[in-house]
């Protein structure tokens, strides 16, 4: 007897998992970047998982320190984390982590700096020899000290590192700085930057299923559009025909601009271009000097190559 036909029905569509910080300095901008990629989701009070409504994607809402491990182990396929946390975790991991940095995201920028009492006797990295340094980043600091042949003792603190000099724990610190206000409020001054950090998208080293890889590729293509459109502007202006070459050279980060004739005017043309770099007031002044008129700079919301 012929066996009945069996149809393989995949009821459990695979969902790509993205680990993001639940709450903190990285969280809002991570959510915002994903929303700009068209992901629709709601973050509820104490949930650990947010389901994306319009794509097969789940967000794992976790502490930032756990993100590299989640991604390396494959518990999450990708993640958004600060390079400072990533590098520290990689240096402290027993086994090499299985992950790659796929994109730099340009937010949560900060510097990991060495700082000491303003006007005190530690003013350069060499002055650290034989002293104590308080930090939450013993891995990165330890590597910096050994790379620079400095013998100093790292005192690990989980938080409030900036208080260490005042309470006598250590005369200097190694901590994250963004505006510099915390250092200033504590009478400290930075004298060296040992790591420049920003949020990065990391991907597990483990192979993704075909289904997940497709979702990932779609997300990355949208993310690239978000990253590119961030600093990009659309410029429109009128210019004398004779000045097209000079004006094209001034337009920052644009390929060949579009040149359109103007009705009833043989000498003037309309120039339109996508500028992929920042357009400053100085750029507009230079364009005007070169003969451009009616200059408009418009934001670009989305881009796809
Ligand atoms: O709870 P969870 O573990 O998830 O969060 P967290 O408390 O460990 O981290 P969180 O939310 O404070 O920071 C998350 C990430 O944001 C960091 O790992 C960095 O990648 C990035 N980031 C960017 C910063 C800062 N800027 C920053 N300024 N993280 C911390 N700071 C702190 C710094 O430690 C210091 O205390 O802010 C103070 C200095 O700020 P300024 O502006 O006064 O210089
Ligand atoms: Zn943390």
């Amino acid at each position: 007897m012929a066996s009945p036909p069996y149809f393989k029905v995949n009821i459990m569509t695979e969902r790509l998992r993205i680990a993001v910080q639940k709450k903190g300095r990285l969280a809002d901008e991570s959510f915002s970047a994903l929303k700009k990629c068209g992901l629709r989701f709601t973050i509820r009070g104490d949930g650990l998982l947010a389901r994306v409504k319009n794509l097969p994607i789940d967000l794992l809402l976790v502490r930032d320190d756990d993100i590299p491990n989640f991604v390396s182990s494959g518990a999450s396929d990708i993640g958004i984390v600060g390079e400072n946390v990533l590098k520290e975790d990689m240096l402290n991991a027993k086994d090499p982590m299985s992950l790659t940095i796929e994109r730099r995201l340009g937010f949560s920028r900060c510097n990991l700096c060495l700082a000491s009492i303003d006007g005190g006797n530690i003013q350069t990295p060499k002055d650290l020899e034989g002293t104590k340094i308080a930090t939450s980043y013993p891995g990165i600091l330890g590597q910096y000290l050994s790379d620079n042949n400095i013998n100093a003792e790292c005192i690990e603190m989980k938080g409030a590192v900036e208080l260490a000099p005042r309470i006598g724990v250590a005369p200097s610190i190694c901590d994250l700085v963004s505006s510099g206000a915390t250092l200033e409020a504590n009478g400290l001054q930075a004298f060296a930057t040992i790591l420049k950090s920003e949020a990065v998208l990391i991907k597990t080293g483990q192979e993704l299923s075909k289904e997940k890889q497709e979702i990932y590729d779609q997300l990355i293509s949208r993310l690239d559009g978000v990253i590119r459109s961030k600093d990009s502007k659309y410029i429109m202006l009128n210019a004398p025909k004779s000045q097209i070459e000079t004006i094209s050279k001034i337009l920052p980060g644009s390929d060949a601009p579009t040149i359109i004739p103007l009705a009833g005017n043989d000498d003037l043309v309309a120039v339109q271009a996508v500028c992929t770099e920042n357009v400053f007031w100085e750029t507009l002044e230079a364009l005007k000097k070169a003969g451009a008129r009616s200059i408009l700079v418009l934001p670009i919301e989305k881009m796809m190559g």
Side-chain angles (χ1 to χ4, degrees):
M1 202 171 82
S3 53
Y6 287 104
F7 297 103
K8 206 174 154 201
V9 182
N10 192 356
I11 348 169
M12 297 289 290
T13 311
E14 284 209 67
R15 300 176 70 82
L16 187 80
R17 282 190 171 176
I18 312 178
V20 280
Q21 191 192 30
K22 183 179 171 58
K23 216 162 85 185
R25 285 187 169 86
L26 265 175
D28 287 347
E29 287 194 273
S30 304
F31 297 144
S32 151
L34 295 172
K35 286 193 167 161
K36 283 186 192 151
C37 292
L39 275 59
R40 291 198 350 245
F41 56 86
T42 315
I43 305 296
R44 296 191 201 287
D46 53 359
L48 293 177
L49 196 100
R51 251 176 119 77
V52 174
K53 292 169 196 143
N54 57 333
L55 282 167
I57 295 177
D58 286 332
L59 306 185
L60 287 184
L61 308 168
V62 292
R63 292 197 56 181
D64 66 346
D65 317 68
D66 293 332
I67 294 175
N69 257 321
F70 269 56
V71 173
S72 172
S73 67
S76 187
D77 304 302
I78 57 176
I80 297 177
V81 68
E83 276 173 297
N84 50 312
V85 168
L86 177 64
K87 190 163 182 206
E88 184 66 24
D89 282 7
M90 287 176 99
L91 287 168
N92 294 331
K94 270 195 248 114
D95 300 313
M97 283 194 160
S98 170
L99 53 83
T100 47
I101 294 183
E102 294 294 319
R103 294 292 183 278
R104 310 180 70 76
L105 301 173
F107 58 80
S108 286
R109 287 184 195 276
C110 53
N111 293 328
L112 186 61
C113 293
L114 289 165
S116 195
I117 298 152
D118 198 1
N121 49 13
I122 301 179
Q123 306 268 351
T124 69
K126 284 208 167 65
D127 302 333
L128 292 166
E129 184 69 32
T131 67
K132 291 178 177 171
I133 311 164
T135 189
S136 312
Y137 294 87
I140 303 176
L141 177 59
Q143 191 183 53
Y144 171 86
L145 293 173
S146 86
D147 286 352
N148 289 279
N149 297 314
I150 299 166
N151 287 303
E153 188 187 345
C154 294
I155 308 286
E156 190 173 352
M157 286 177 74
K158 293 284 178 207
V161 175
E162 64 278 0
L163 297 181
R166 216 189 310 159
I167 58 176
V169 170
S172 30
I173 66 167
C174 171
D175 198 12
L176 296 175
V177 178
S178 59
S179 68
T182 305
L183 289 186
E184 205 184 317
N186 287 281
L188 302 171
Q189 187 160 33
F191 57 86
T193 294
I194 68 171
L195 178 82
K196 285 182 172 297
S197 176
E198 66 184 272
V200 290
L201 182 94
I202 53 174
K203 182 182 182 219
T204 183
Q206 308 186 13
E207 201 182 332
L208 298 184
S209 67
K210 189 168 163 283
E211 235 173 335
K212 281 191 180 183
Q213 185 66 42
E214 276 170 17
I215 311 164
Y216 172 78
D217 291 342
Q218 184 183 17
L219 178 69
I220 278 289
S221 146
R222 291 186 182 188
L223 193 59
D224 283 342
V226 171
I227 296 168
R228 273 195 298 140
S229 66
K230 210 167 136 232
D231 288 328
S232 296
K233 295 279 180 281
Y234 197 75
I235 290 201
M236 299 164 77
L237 54 87
N238 292 342
K241 261 186 191 162
S242 58
Q243 289 298 93
I244 292 176
E245 208 182 313
T246 316
I247 283 177
S248 301
K249 280 188 194 145
I250 301 171
L251 295 170
S254 86
D255 294 336
T258 308
I259 313 288
I260 310 163
L262 284 175
N265 197 327
D266 287 345
D267 302 331
L268 279 182
V269 286
V271 178
Q272 301 185 0
V274 171
C275 293
T276 54
E277 290 162 26
N278 254 319
V279 179
F280 298 104
W281 281 108
E282 287 76 4
T283 315
L284 301 192
E285 284 154 8
L287 287 167
K288 194 170 169 201
K289 213 165 154 196
R293 293 292 177 267
S294 308
I295 310 169
L296 293 180
V297 182
L298 311 171
I300 294 175
E301 201 183 290
K302 294 186 177 73
M303 278 174 110
M304 191 159 275

